[in-house]
């Protein structure tokens, strides 16, 4: 099977999740929206020409009946490649419930053993696009990183935009960035979509900093690696139970600084995302009166460095899977 076939199959997976979930946009029911995304994604995986194992998903088997960690997905024929699969069928559950921008469906995939098996806990993250690769250090201050990234991008600090999740724990980042004259853009939810935007100059986002979910961090790191950017991270377990959980997933040193190659160990990984609601990079799903749905997706490969934007027009009367 040609890689291009696997790539397009990956897009179909995120398209299916987005189309099903988008029907719940603005209805105030994040649980139903998330379940719809999971349903669509799982069904679409049946047509994926791989032997896949979910390493980042909706949770453990006892907490997530579908797309759970360890679940086998794909066509699973003997001649197909074994792959790690990381999924977030709906990144931005609150966003879609409110009808807000930047809800997306995402999947990352790489050879077996290539994606960090990140526990469901907090992770400190810092990320930039290719233009500022080599300019960040998670152990340095906010001001030092802002100045370094601005220099790498040949910008004045006052022209640099730092994106930060609007949480009390990030107040110090906001204050330090503003104190040296940088611009700060706050967002409410959706780590993956926001970090993804760092890879595109036209997004206006130069630097991501903050603490968010570890599983989302690995998925976002796959996209950053495909685009030639840089990301650093550190797990932040808040209890002894979480530390034990880390070790059970093969992470011995929970204090280790994780660089992009620790998060994503292969140079041959794929990433796909489909917009559910309109966002910075992708338009959301739109429906026509003639039972068609239009989707806007992005798919990329770290091996080739190619980033493709894909527009799909789906006849909803012809496929139960809406792919």
């Amino acid at each position: 099977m040609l890689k291009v076939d696997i790539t397009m199959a990956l897009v179909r997976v995120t398209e299916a999740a987005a189309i099903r979930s988008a029907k719940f946009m603005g209805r105030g029911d994040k649980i139903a929206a998330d379940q719809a995304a999971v349903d669509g994604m799982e069904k679409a995986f049946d047509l994926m020409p791989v032997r896949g194992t979910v390493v980042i998903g909706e949770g453990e088997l006892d907490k997530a009946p579908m797309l759970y960690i360890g679940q086998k997905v794909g066509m699973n024929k003997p001649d197909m490649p074994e792959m790690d699969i990381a999924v977030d069928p709906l990144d931005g559950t609150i966003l879609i419930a409110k009808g807000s921008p930047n809800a997306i469906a995402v999947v990352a995939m790489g050879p077996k053993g290539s994606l960090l098996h990140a526990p469901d806990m907090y992770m400190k993250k810092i990320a930039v696009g290719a233009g500022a690769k080599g300019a960040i250090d998670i152990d340095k201050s906010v001001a030092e990183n802002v100045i370094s990234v601005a220099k790498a991008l040949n910008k004045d600090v006052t022209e640099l935009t730092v994106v930060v999740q609007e949480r009390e724990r990030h107040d110090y980042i906001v204050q330090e960035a503003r104190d040296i004259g940088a611009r700060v853009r706050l967002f409410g939810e959706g780590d993956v979509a926001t970090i993804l935007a760092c890879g595109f100059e036209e997004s206006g986002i130069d630097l991501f900093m903050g603490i968010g979910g570890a599983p989302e961090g690995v998925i976002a790191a796959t996209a950053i690696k495909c685009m030639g950017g840089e990301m650093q991270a550190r797990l932040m377990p808040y209890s002894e139970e979480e530390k034990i959980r880390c070790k059970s997933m093969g992470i011995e040193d929970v204090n280790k600084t994780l660089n992009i190659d620790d998060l994503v160990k292969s140079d041959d990984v794929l990433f796909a995302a489909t917009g559910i609601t309109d966002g910075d990079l992708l338009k959301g799903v739109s429906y026509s009166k003639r039972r068609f749905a239009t989707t806007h997706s992005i798919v990329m490969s770290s091996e080739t460095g190619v980033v493709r934007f894909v527009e799909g027009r789906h006849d909803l009367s012809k496929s139960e899977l809406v792919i």
Side-chain angles (χ1 to χ4, degrees), residues 34-160:
D34 188 53
Q35 187 60 59
V38 172
D39 290 343
M41 185 170 280
E42 187 182 51
K43 287 181 180 297
F45 264 123
D46 290 341
L47 302 179
M48 173 75 69
V50 298
R51 289 181 290 157
T53 301
V54 176
V55 298
I56 291 175
E58 294 292 283
E60 299 292 341
L61 177 57
D62 60 345
K63 296 180 181 179
M66 300 167 66
L67 295 179
Y68 56 86
I69 296 170
Q71 181 176 342
K72 302 300 180 182
V73 296
M75 297 173 70
N76 281 303
K77 295 182 179 180
D79 60 336
M80 293 177 176
E82 288 188 89
M83 306 294 278
D84 281 355
I85 307 286
V87 305
D88 196 343
L90 173 49
D91 178 47
T93 54
I94 294 175
L95 297 178
I96 192 169
K98 293 181 176 180
S100 300
N102 283 323
I104 61 174
V106 292
V107 174
M109 184 169 70
K112 183 179 180 180
S114 62
L115 302 181
L116 179 72
H117 295 196
D120 187 8
M121 64 177 59
Y122 279 122
M123 172 185 276
K124 184 177 182 181
K125 314 166 198 174
I126 182 169
V128 290
K133 186 175 183 178
I136 57 174
D137 187 335
I138 200 170
D139 291 316
K140 290 186 176 180
S141 69
V142 173
E144 287 175 308
N145 277 294
V146 168
I147 292 168
S148 179
V149 171
K151 184 177 179 180
L153 296 176
N154 196 27
K155 289 185 174 184
D156 188 85
V157 168
T158 59
E159 299 174 310
L160 196 86

Side-chain angles (χ1 to χ4, degrees), residues 273-317:
T274 299
I276 300 176
T277 60
D278 288 344
D280 296 322
L281 292 174
L282 298 169
K283 294 180 181 179
V285 179
S286 61
Y287 300 93
S288 74
K289 293 180 180 179
R290 298 181 63 184
R291 296 197 299 178
F292 288 100
T294 301
T295 57
H296 294 86
S297 306
I298 187 171
V299 61
M300 56 185 81
S301 163
S302 64
E303 182 184 38
T304 64
V306 174
V307 176
R308 290 184 173 90
F309 288 88
V310 181
E311 181 175 319
R313 186 169 180 263
H314 310 263
D315 185 341
L316 303 183
S317 68

Side-chain angles (χ1 to χ4, degrees), residues 1-270:
M1 183 68 67
L2 295 175
K3 179 165 289 189
V4 68
D5 295 327
I6 295 178
T7 301
M8 291 311 300
L10 201 65
V11 173
R12 294 187 187 105
V13 169
T14 56
E15 287 175 339
I19 291 172
R20 291 202 176 200
S21 183
K23 295 175 182 178
F24 293 88
M25 191 274 289
R27 294 185 177 178
D29 192 342
K30 66 177 184 178
I31 295 176
D34 188 53
Q35 187 60 59
V38 172
D39 290 343
M41 185 170 280
E42 187 182 51
K43 287 181 180 297
F45 264 123
D46 290 341
L47 302 179
M48 173 75 69
V50 298
R51 289 181 290 157
T53 301
V54 176
V55 298
I56 291 175
E58 294 292 283
E60 299 292 341
L61 177 57
D62 60 345
K63 296 180 181 179
M66 300 167 66
L67 295 179
Y68 56 86
I69 296 170
Q71 181 176 342
K72 302 300 180 182
V73 296
M75 297 173 70
N76 281 303
K77 295 182 179 180
D79 60 336
M80 293 177 176
E82 288 188 89
M83 306 294 278
D84 281 355
I85 307 286
V87 305
D88 196 343
L90 173 49
D91 178 47
T93 54
I94 294 175
L95 297 178
I96 192 169
K98 293 181 176 180
S100 300
N102 283 323
I104 61 174
V106 292
V107 174
M109 184 169 70
K112 183 179 180 180
S114 62
L115 302 181
L116 179 72
H117 295 196
D120 187 8
M121 64 177 59
Y122 279 122
M123 172 185 276
K124 184 177 182 181
K125 314 166 198 174
I126 182 169
V128 290
K133 186 175 183 178
I136 57 174
D137 187 335
I138 200 170
D139 291 316
K140 290 186 176 180
S141 69
V142 173
E144 287 175 308
N145 277 294
V146 168
I147 292 168
S148 179
V149 171
K151 184 177 179 180
L153 296 176
N154 196 27
K155 289 185 174 184
D156 188 85
V157 168
T158 59
E159 299 174 310
L160 196 86
T161 299
V162 184
V163 66
V164 183
Q165 190 174 26
E166 191 172 10
R167 297 290 188 271
E168 186 176 344
R169 63 179 179 267
H170 296 146
D171 286 350
Y172 79 97
I173 299 176
V174 175
Q175 191 59 54
E176 287 186 39
R178 287 174 175 168
D179 283 347
I180 61 170
R183 297 179 294 193
V184 176
R185 177 173 170 181
L186 299 173
F187 73 99
E189 191 186 4
D191 275 25
V192 179
T194 307
I195 295 175
L196 176 63
C198 289
F200 295 88
E201 186 176 352
E202 58 268 32
S203 74
I205 296 173
D206 301 303
L207 171 63
F208 174 98
M209 300 184 76
I211 297 170
E216 292 87 350
V218 175
I219 295 173
T222 307
I224 289 292
K225 189 162 193 175
C226 288
M227 294 183 287
E230 184 178 6
M231 181 171 168
Q232 295 175 9
R234 182 176 293 120
L235 290 168
M236 300 190 69
Y238 283 97
S239 67
E240 193 62 33
E241 182 182 352
E242 288 189 344
K243 291 179 182 178
I244 293 171
R245 175 75 174 132
C246 287
K247 292 186 177 181
S248 72
M249 298 181 75
I251 301 168
E252 293 296 328
D253 184 2
V254 296
N255 298 311
K256 178 183 177 181
T257 296
L258 302 168
N259 60 38
I260 196 79
D261 291 326
D262 295 315
L263 297 165
V264 183
K265 301 176 181 66
S266 173
D267 291 323
D268 186 11
V269 293
L270 300 171

